[in-house]
Amino acid sequence: MWTTSLAQVKINNRLKVLLESINTTQNDNYLTKMKNLYDLCMDKDNLENLGSSLLLGVLDQLGGWPVVSGTKWKQDEFDVVDTLVNMRKYGYPHDIFASITISPHIFYQKFNVIYIGEANLALEERSYYEEDLDDPVLQEYLRFMVKSSVYLGADQALAEAEMAKVLQFAIQLALLTISRNTPHNYYNPMKIDQLQALSQEAYNWTQYFNGIFDPFSIVNNDSYIIVYVPNYIKAVSELIESTDKRVLANYLLWRVVLSSTVLLDERWALLGREFYQHIDGRKSLKPRHSFCMETVKKYFNIGSSGLYINATEDKSNLNLMSKMTEYIKESFVGMIKSSDWMDAQSMEAALNKTSLMTLHVGYPQELTDFDIINDYYQEVPTGRNTTWFEMILFLRHWKKDKDYLKITTGNEKGFWVDYSNVIDINAYYRHQENSIQFPLSIIESTGINADYPMYLNFGAVGWIIGHEISHGFDTVGRKFDEHGNYENWWSDSTTEKFEAKTRCYAEQYSQFELKKTGEKVNGNRTLAENIADNGGMKQAIVAYKKYVKDHGEEPLLPGLKYNPYQLFFIRSAHFYCGKWRTPALSHMIRTDVHSPGIFRIIGTLSNMVEFSEAFNCPSKAKMNPEKKCTLW
């Protein structure tokens, strides 16, 4: 757990109190729907009484799970696309073999288009599947599958044999995906008939799209899509074509079961935790109220944000945040002007992009309007006379409907819904909008206060602000112009110098190693975030120096031996302080585009002359190396 996690717990606990105080006897509205969902989740007696019965009913409707049905399973009635479409109708993940997203076109942002990506893997990251079969995580995953099927009535020996085949298939599928470290052209526009040519007879894309988009859109051969990795589509189609139908059905229905474990009784929750402890290191279940609160927040995020905001009286720090952001943007402008690797044309474009970067602080005003939020959830039933299992499946389907509905509409920049999550501690830069967002939650979590010395305030949040601004100019952000359009707006010479300078970060961070496991940070995967960290900290210290120039030196804190600049860096590092379980750190190394917190601190501060000067670090000390990576 790290500092931010503790702050998130405080927000969640406050939300829990607010949620439990909702009066469900009043007229039905989004608040009573939230409370009813929470109550369904907390009704453990009903969950125990239902056991696995509702899941077994769904499996039966989907044609049966072969490992459970045994010889009664009817292979001739199984069709991959039909099964995936029916999984979507029930509210289950259906992008098992190819991810489907609806997003603005990278060149024509007024239009939303269909993007097709690679498989969504059950273990998230390809590297888990690259291990030998005797790898502890894979062995525990197999045990999880076998126990789940036995819980539902499968024969033990049959379960062991058939789930071993499912694991082999899952490995084959994962190895078809492209490693995150492999450079690739992800923009491959085509029409449906071209996509179908990649799959041949293995996968009917028109049938699939019309099934999952029903009733919002009719897809035909003239429909326009963007495929991230065409070779993957061809390869996965060949895998589907060559795999026994029983194995395919067992895999798809396993994904249904896996997605259902959180909806069932405690026996299933314990079984899931028995496996996932090998991923995140946590052996015990979360308190039920915490799990239920987080689930309500997940499906009613806009409603939860509205509830939280309207109960928050002191919002005075929003103005302070805006003021500090302007200081930091100004510091970044100066850093652009003094850069030695940008030519005049690229520099002018970078300055223009910075000036047009829009700022979203706190929350959208729509979250204070009860009727707007209530209208957003109008299709959601009250949650009375139903079960936790059925309600979550409905909400999953409803959320996907909301997403897929975008295929019928244009894209609206700055749409309030896109900026409505203000209770999860995070900050954002949106490439296609050239915008930065600092929600109320992250402002509260940093503890900034107008009555505090500004070296503490800039230390607390300056790095975060600068980090998000820097994302507009990292390995991805540099490919989007001031309006968020995908465009190469840098000259070749500027690009070459940028790549040479940032190669230093990739090499530096690749040397950071977890002592307990020997795993190293992937400096290429984390490069964009490391660029943002280093650029953000530089902006923050430059901005604070400008503040001191404008307002004069600030007094020291009584009783402490540290000067303002030392406290600035101490406060900055505090945000990423934490203690993590070893499996969780290992999982982060495998899957996260961010470096672990300790390396974000060490890597960034060891590159800063201002840090070594503030603490009088000896030359060539660990935190004052002779070779420092710098971009700005």
Side-chain angles (χ1 to χ4, degrees):
M1 180 171 286
W2 59 322
T3 305
T4 306
S5 301
L6 295 173
Q8 187 68 66
V9 168
K10 290 182 180 179
I11 290 176
N12 289 351
N13 286 341
R14 187 174 174 213
L15 269 172
K16 172 181 172 291
V17 172
L18 293 171
L19 185 63
E20 291 179 340
S21 67
I22 294 173
N23 180 8
T24 57
T25 62
Q26 59 183 305
N27 293 333
D28 289 328
N29 53 56
Y30 81 90
L31 293 174
T32 57
K33 293 173 183 179
M34 289 168 57
K35 180 59 163 56
N36 288 337
L37 181 64
Y38 180 78
D39 289 342
L40 285 173
C41 180
M42 291 295 292
D43 189 354
K44 295 178 68 174
D45 289 341
N46 192 41
L47 291 174
E48 295 300 323
N49 290 334
L50 288 169
S52 306
S53 60
L54 296 178
L55 172 58
L56 285 167
V58 170
L59 293 175
D60 185 58
Q61 291 297 314
L62 292 172
W65 194 11
V67 67
V68 174
S69 301
T71 57
K72 295 180 181 179
W73 184 72
K74 299 177 181 179
Q75 177 171 306
D76 294 341
E77 296 180 3
F78 173 77
D79 178 79
V80 168
V81 173
D82 279 344
T83 302
L84 289 169
V85 168
N86 286 326
M87 287 166 63
R88 147 75 169 137
K89 290 177 179 177
Y90 276 98
Y92 283 101
H94 52 281
D95 49 358
I96 306 297
F97 296 125
S99 64
I100 307 295
T101 54
I102 312 298
S103 297
H105 194 290
I106 61 174
F107 292 120
Y108 312 104
Q109 290 185 41
K110 291 182 179 180
F111 305 99
N112 288 318
V113 295
I114 303 169
Y115 289 83
I116 302 179
E118 297 177 314
N120 281 322
L121 304 174
L123 299 183
E124 295 185 46
E125 171 58 39
R126 169 193 165 115
S127 63
Y128 281 113
Y129 299 90
E130 294 174 336
E131 305 291 345
D132 294 332
L133 278 174
D134 59 357
D135 174 74
V137 172
L138 288 181
Q139 282 297 304
E140 290 298 330
Y141 185 50
L142 177 58
R143 191 172 293 114
F144 186 19
M145 290 191 286
V146 170
K147 283 189 175 182
S148 296
S149 58
V150 171
Y151 275 10
L152 293 170
D155 173 76
Q156 178 75 31
L158 181 65
E160 291 175 358
E162 298 209 354
M163 290 301 99
K165 292 180 181 179
V166 169
L167 179 57
Q168 288 282 6
F169 175 79
I171 292 171
Q172 288 179 282
L173 176 64
L175 296 183
L176 294 180
T177 62
I178 290 182
S179 169
R180 296 189 190 190
N181 307 324
T182 305
H184 193 80
N185 172 27
Y186 290 102
Y187 179 69
N188 301 283
M190 60 181 68
K191 292 186 176 181
I192 293 292
D193 56 350
Q194 295 172 296
L195 175 65
Q196 192 61 58
L198 293 174
S199 294
Q200 297 296 321
E201 301 297 322
Y203 206 92
N204 188 321
W205 286 99
T206 301
Q207 175 191 350
Y208 177 71
F209 283 133
N210 284 331
I212 66 171
F213 291 152
D214 181 60
F216 305 123
S217 176
I218 299 298
V219 175
N220 54 47
N221 288 340
D222 292 326
S223 297
Y224 179 86
I225 56 175
I226 296 175
V227 179
Y228 286 131
V229 189
N231 286 340
Y232 166 79
I233 298 298
K234 183 178 180 181
V236 76
S237 300
E238 292 172 352
L239 177 63
I240 292 170
E241 184 73 19
S242 63
T243 300
D244 183 84
K245 283 188 174 183
R246 189 175 183 93
V247 175
L248 290 173
N250 268 328
Y251 179 70
L252 292 182
L253 274 295
W254 158 243
R255 296 296 295 269
V256 169
V257 173
L258 179 62
S259 183
S260 300
T261 56
V262 295
L263 309 180
L264 304 172
D265 56 87
E266 188 170 287
R267 180 178 66 155
W268 283 94
L270 291 170
L271 179 61
R273 182 51 28 205
E274 187 178 303
F275 166 67
Y276 284 109
Q277 67 174 307
H278 298 280
I279 300 292
D280 60 21
R282 179 167 56 85
K283 295 183 179 180
S284 59
L285 296 175
K286 288 183 178 180
R288 186 69 187 178
H289 64 80
S290 295
F291 168 75
C292 294
M293 177 63 247
E294 290 171 6
T295 305
V296 171
K297 191 173 69 170
K298 176 180 179 179
Y299 293 103
F300 283 87
N301 191 275
I302 290 176
S304 298
S305 293
L307 177 64
Y308 188 83
I309 285 169
N310 289 301
T312 302
E313 296 180 0
D314 184 8
K315 304 182 181 76
S316 59
N317 290 328
L318 301 186
N319 290 332
L320 176 61
M321 186 73 175
S322 297
K323 175 183 176 182
M324 293 171 66
T325 301
E326 290 306 315
Y327 259 100
I328 290 174
K329 280 184 70 175
E330 184 181 348
S331 75
F332 187 59
V333 167
M335 289 160 59
I336 292 173
K337 290 179 178 178
S338 62
S339 64
D340 60 0
W341 53 274
M342 277 189 158
D343 61 25
Q345 183 178 351
S346 300
M347 183 179 294
E348 182 180 356
L351 292 170
N352 189 38
K353 181 173 183 177
T354 305
S355 68
L356 293 179
M357 192 176 287
T358 56
L359 174 64
H360 299 261
V361 173
Y363 53 89
Q365 285 301 310
E366 285 83 354
L367 288 179
T368 64
D369 191 316
F370 181 90
D371 291 334
I372 289 177
I373 301 177
N374 205 43
D375 184 63
Y376 185 84
Y377 292 103
Q378 63 179 337
E379 298 100 343
V380 177
T382 62
R384 297 188 177 93
N385 303 316
T386 188
T387 65
W388 165 247
F389 184 95
E390 292 165 320
M391 194 63 194
I392 291 298
L393 290 187
F394 173 88
L395 287 167
R396 288 176 179 175
H397 187 277
W398 169 79
K399 282 194 72 175
K400 191 57 69 173
D401 277 355
K402 286 280 190 184
D403 184 41
Y404 286 167
L405 185 60
K406 292 187 292 186
I407 194 63
T408 67
T409 64
N411 174 50
E412 179 185 346
K413 278 190 176 183
F415 185 43
W416 72 272
V417 170
D418 297 332
Y419 294 86
S420 62
N421 182 1
V422 301
I423 50 176
D424 287 322
I425 297 176
N426 209 337
Y428 309 91
Y429 174 78
R430 287 177 169 80
H431 299 101
Q432 289 190 279
E433 299 204 2
N434 190 27
S435 68
I436 47 178
Q437 180 189 7
F438 304 109
L440 178 64
S441 55
I442 199 165
I443 298 171
E444 288 186 338
S445 70
T446 58
I448 61 172
N449 192 304
D451 294 329
Y452 292 170
M454 289 302 289
Y455 51 79
L456 293 182
N457 288 328
F458 273 102
V461 80
W463 190 2
I464 299 168
I465 297 171
H467 175 102
E468 299 307 329
I469 292 174
S470 295
H471 270 315
F473 306 86
D474 63 18
T475 54
V476 178
R478 70 179 184 84
K479 298 176 182 178
F480 292 83
D481 67 13
E482 71 274 19
H483 301 298
N485 294 313
Y486 189 79
E487 182 181 346
N488 183 15
W489 52 279
W490 283 7
S491 67
D492 290 343
S493 63
T494 293
T495 300
E496 289 173 6
K497 292 175 182 177
F498 170 85
E499 291 176 347
K501 281 181 168 288
T502 56
R503 196 175 300 121
C504 179
Y505 294 120
E507 294 171 355
Q508 176 194 15
Y509 282 79
S510 292
Q511 298 305 309
F512 292 138
E513 180 180 308
L514 293 179
K515 292 182 179 179
K516 290 186 178 180
T517 67
E519 294 170 292
K520 289 187 175 182
V521 173
N522 187 316
N524 290 314
R525 179 196 296 159
T526 58
L527 181 56
E529 295 297 335
N530 297 333
I531 291 171
D533 276 347
N534 282 265
M537 182 62 83
K538 181 73 173 181
Q539 291 171 53
I541 190 64
V542 171
Y544 177 62
K545 287 181 177 180
K546 176 66 166 58
Y547 179 87
V548 171
K549 183 178 179 181
D550 291 344
H551 299 276
E553 295 285 347
E554 296 186 286
L556 303 178
L557 290 182
L560 292 180
K561 62 181 180 180
Y562 302 109
N563 66 44
Y565 289 98
Q566 290 173 327
L567 287 170
F568 167 91
F569 286 114
I570 291 171
R571 188 68 184 87
S572 295
H574 179 262
F575 188 79
Y576 292 112
C577 285
K579 185 175 182 180
W580 296 84
R581 300 179 184 92
T582 300
L585 273 175
S586 180
H587 183 66
M588 183 183 298
I589 288 283
R590 286 175 179 262
T591 64
D592 206 330
V593 294
H594 301 84
S595 301
I598 185 173
F599 301 134
R600 297 182 74 172
I601 297 169
I602 293 173
T604 301
L605 297 186
S606 65
N607 284 326
M608 295 197 65
V609 172
E610 293 87 348
F611 174 83
S612 56
E613 289 178 346
F615 285 92
N616 297 312
C617 298
S619 177
K620 299 183 181 180
K622 179 179 180 180
M623 294 303 294
N624 186 20
E626 186 174 6
K627 179 183 178 182
K628 290 180 169 63
C629 299
T630 58
L631 179 63
W632 301 105

